[in-house]
Amino acid sequence: MRQGFRQSMAWLHAWSGLLVGWVLFAVFVTGTASFYRSEISQWMRPELVATETDPGRAAERGAAYLQRQMPDAMGWFIELPTPEKPAIAVMWWKSMEGPFHQALLDPETGEPTSARATKGGDFLYRFHYELSMPPMLGRWIVGACTLVMLVALVSGIVTHRRIFADFFTFRRDRSTQRGWLDAHNVAGVLGLPFHLMIAYTGLTLLATLYMPWGVRTAYKGDEIRYFVEAGLMPDLRWAAGKPGTLTPLGPVVAASVARGGKAPEGLSVWNPGDANATVVAIFEEPHGLSHHHPQIAFDGQTGAVLGQAGAVGAATGTGTVMAGLHMGHFAGPALRVLFFLCGLMGAATVATGLVLWAVARAPKGAAPAGFGLRLVRALNLGTIAGLPAGVAAYFLANRLLPVGLSERASWEIGAFFAIWGLVALVGALRPGPRAWSQALGLVGALFLSVPPVAALTTGLNLPGGALRFLGFDLMMLALGLGFVVAARKAAARVGAPLRRPARDLTGEEALRA
Amino acid sequence: MLASSAHVVRFPFRRPRAACRGLRALTGRTAPTPAYRAAVLGRILLAALGGYAVAALATGLLALVLPMPRSEAVTTATLTSFAVMVAVVVAVFAARSLARATALVLGLALPLAGGLWLAGAFTG
């Protein structure tokens, strides 16, 4: 019976992992990059340099711009400038179904900045949970894949009886398959707490989307009421249907500073043209693990304080800590590096698992590979080499596309998908022993070319000093060198005779394959 | 002990062994039979739909009956729901047969649905 249980879990691990592996790899890579989302955005908008701006004046400039764009909006959002993001980011929308318009304003003038149009790090961040699909569809697909990932983790743990011993086992010289198995085990086991945490907290971040049934029974589906009672947002007022005049936002910011102790991160304005307009000041999350932004609501006509959200109960506090763990905002530089490395290890676990699946099923001798195996091999190369190539192309396009190009941000994203698709397509059409080393070599070359291309295009007259993006350049070089080393390893395998295990795998080893 | 050629793990239960043996005699290798494929598909559907149903029912019921403020009960139930679903999925694939797995899912779902009915969730 025990043997049967582990056997069924081994089957479940192999197939559930294969089913979602390609999506999970893409989510892991773009999600890991998102730990440095604001750094990527800064690099992609080199024209923006830090300026000293009064938050109250910035809020009023944002409101003046929005008043011209959509005075009868359902909502505005004004993100105040910071040294990391020295611009006023504004959003405005007519309904919660969207579309959500956005612009980046110069804090000095209140007009759109002259910075190149780009989605910056936000593209990679949103891709990691929406896959550039219609948002709800993408979120459900990523959610389903994440749940299957949890199933694969649990069944993987059951499969590995000797989890501690495996940890110190790396038999890369024994056989190809054994080497991949050990690499998969080391990356999976070493990062296991992180993998479990990141998958579960990823689901709970969108918990009321995936599992709305508690809100449905206890609140009859009134999600806003639930958020208000849980202390996650202040009580908002419905639109009165009568026109009103919005109070100047400068004094609102001053009142927020007086009450909240510091300037808010941003202001949301609900029904700005209505007599019941509400301004909500949203503060940076306080120091600690929890991802929970204190908020103060103001009357949009008089500027009087309406209410406050801050204190949450134990369960809701657990939820906000889970969200905080997923995003890692609490982490200082060193801990953020650790999160980044754990994310890379997650991507490596998925990649080695996918390769292992194909290696374990390679036909012996001269027997031809079946269609399923060829499909898996093509998708493996297309994802594991193709996606990083797309990320590098996204960065290169940011520097190579003309600054004044219309629809520029879309062209950058187009470069991401075009290079990804190209690598996948060539890999699928020309499979062969050299495909992996060539594809990985291309990825390495693309990443290595990012710093020189940046130096030649923007580097010489970079506002804020030529060494401003040294960290980003070093990261590109490190990634590029990593892929070049991987390409050389893959090329070395081509020449060597394929080493099969001297004897057939025993039952348990086969199980774990 | 698996057959020596089994680098590949095949789902171990309720496999129509006689059919596989016959096939192996004919072709020298085993290929999944239609019955085996149907059994695997059945488990996948039961795990996905049954797992979600049990998690959804448990979330709806716990949100109503947990002895804490309403918002806290909803949060607790919702945060726990994904663990419930993972547990059901694993149990469905660990069960000895598809019939047992179905009985397990129904054995969880029906009492939960009954509890929800008693708690008045279906009366609007």
Side-chain angles (χ1 to χ4, degrees), chain A residues 11 200 210 226 229 314-316, chain B residues 11 52 60 70-72 75 79 83:
Chain A
W11 181 93
Y200 205 90
Y210 297 137
Y226 159 61
E229 272 186 33
T316 307
Chain B
F11 196 72
Y52 188 82
R70 186 164 68 147
S71 62
E72 290 283 282
T75 309
L79 291 182

Side-chain angles (χ1 to χ4, degrees), chain B residues 6-86:
Chain B
H7 291 264
V8 178
V9 185
R10 184 150 291 156
F11 196 72
F13 302 116
R14 295 284 280 189
R15 180 148 54 114
R17 288 177 192 286
C20 276
R21 267 202 299 276
L23 195 73
R24 194 184 305 162
L26 279 175
T27 64
R29 56 193 286 257
T30 55
T33 62
Y36 171 74
R37 289 190 172 177
V40 169
L41 182 68
R43 296 231 191 199
I44 292 171
L45 289 176
L46 185 66
L49 303 178
Y52 188 82
V54 169
L57 289 167
T59 309
L61 182 61
L62 286 177
L64 287 178
V65 302
L66 281 180
M68 43 180 92
R70 186 164 68 147
S71 62
E72 290 283 282
V74 170
T75 309
T76 307
T78 311
L79 291 182
T80 325
S81 64
F82 305 106
V84 172
M85 178 158 178
V86 170

Side-chain angles (χ1 to χ4, degrees), chain A residues 1 4-5 7-12 15 140 147 150-151 154 177 200 203-204 207-208 210-215 217-220 225-226 229-230 313-316 318-319 322 360-361 364 500 504-507 510-511 513, chain B residues 1-2 4-13 36 40 44 52 55-57 59-61 63-64 68 70-86 89-91 93-96 116 120-121 124:
Chain A
M1 181 61 213
F5 177 56
Q7 208 169 330
S8 64
M9 288 299 108
W11 181 93
L12 187 58
W15 288 95
W140 272 103
L147 193 109
L150 277 174
V151 171
V154 170
Q177 182 176 342
Y200 205 90
L203 285 172
T204 59
T208 52
Y210 297 137
M211 205 54 79
W213 308 105
V215 177
T217 57
Y219 285 88
K220 304 287 170 228
R225 186 85 248 134
Y226 159 61
E229 272 186 33
T316 307
T318 308
M322 288 168 107
R361 284 157 184 80
K364 280 181 181 165
R500 280 258 154 214
D504 277 306
L505 299 182
T506 63
L511 271 179
Chain B
M1 185 77 168
L2 294 173
S4 63
S5 65
H7 291 264
V8 178
V9 185
R10 184 150 291 156
F11 196 72
F13 302 116
Y36 171 74
V40 169
I44 292 171
Y52 188 82
L57 289 167
T59 309
L61 182 61
L64 287 178
M68 43 180 92
R70 186 164 68 147
S71 62
E72 290 283 282
V74 170
T75 309
T76 307
T78 311
L79 291 182
T80 325
S81 64
F82 305 106
V84 172
M85 178 158 178
V86 170
V89 170
V90 167
F93 281 98
R96 202 172 302 169
L116 269 174

Side-chain angles (χ1 to χ4, degrees), chain A residues 37 48 72 80 211 301 306 331 358 361 363 374 400 431 456:
Chain A
R37 174 179 161 196
L48 293 185
D72 57 343
L80 300 175
M211 205 54 79
Q301 299 286 304
L306 288 177
R361 284 157 184 80
R374 279 183 287 141
L400 291 174
L456 290 174

